[in-house]
Amino acid sequence: MAAAPRLVVIGAGEGVRRARAARLAGHYAIPLLPAVDILIKRQLLPDDGYVIDSPPQLLDRVAGVGGLLPVLAFVDLVVLLPGAGSSGTEETSRVLRYYDARGVLLTVGADTPDDEIILVIDAALRGRGDPEGPPGTPWRP
């Protein structure tokens, strides 16, 4: 059995982001963790997969203070739900460029169905072990 994914869901629309993160956690049967608990309260991450729910402003603040969020450096995928007309701050852009350069950034529209996102997550995770394909190839609809 494959290991459960380690995901981060980032998005400006709090309701949409939280709902999407909760549905992904439910689908994979892994815990949903608020980023504030991980990044500020220093809660330990579970060994067997998780979904971290984070507003971009929190990533701004933490990345601006201490670098590139080492606790999130080991995630399998970062699912970005951009808000309408969002133009992130310089720090958010730096953090997102970091994830994009690592090949773990998955940008999806808020209206993309869960089953499509799950298919892409599963394919990206399988692709990491496939020597024929690039690991973690980002997907943008």
Side-chain angles (χ1 to χ4, degrees), residues 8-10 14 17-18 32-45 51-62 69 71-72:
V8 175
V9 178
I10 300 172
E14 188 168 316
R17 183 193 74 239
R18 285 186 179 194
L32 173 62
L33 307 167
V36 70
D37 290 346
I38 305 301
L39 298 171
I40 296 175
K41 296 179 182 177
R42 306 226 184 250
Q43 175 182 337
L44 294 177
L45 292 170
V51 174
I52 297 174
D53 168 25
S54 180
Q57 300 85 349
L58 179 59
L59 296 179
D60 280 355
R61 206 170 355 187
V62 175
L69 310 172
V71 74
L72 299 181

Side-chain angles (χ1 to χ4, degrees), residues 25 44 71 89 96 100 110 118 128:
L44 294 177
V71 74
T89 66
L96 295 178
D100 194 27
I118 290 166
R128 289 171 189 260

Side-chain angles (χ1 to χ4, degrees), residues 2-130:
R6 298 168 300 175
L7 306 172
V8 175
V9 178
I10 300 172
E14 188 168 316
V16 171
R17 183 193 74 239
R18 285 186 179 194
R20 177 77 66 181
R23 290 192 305 268
L24 287 172
H27 172 78
Y28 289 107
I30 53 181
L32 173 62
L33 307 167
V36 70
D37 290 346
I38 305 301
L39 298 171
I40 296 175
K41 296 179 182 177
R42 306 226 184 250
Q43 175 182 337
L44 294 177
L45 292 170
D47 292 332
D48 295 330
Y50 48 82
V51 174
I52 297 174
D53 168 25
S54 180
Q57 300 85 349
L58 179 59
L59 296 179
D60 280 355
R61 206 170 355 187
V62 175
V65 170
L68 284 174
L69 310 172
V71 74
L72 299 181
F74 303 104
V75 299
D76 295 316
L77 285 174
V78 175
V79 179
L80 175 63
L81 306 168
S86 65
S87 64
T89 66
E90 196 170 301
E91 287 297 325
T92 298
S93 296
R94 181 174 62 91
V95 170
L96 295 178
R97 282 193 309 268
Y98 168 75
Y99 289 128
D100 194 27
R102 288 188 55 227
V104 297
L105 185 64
L106 171 68
T107 303
V108 298
D111 58 348
T112 304
D114 288 346
D115 57 344
E116 286 183 30
I117 295 172
I118 290 166
L119 284 173
V120 173
I121 289 171
D122 291 346
L125 295 174
R126 273 192 314 273
R128 289 171 189 260
D130 179 8

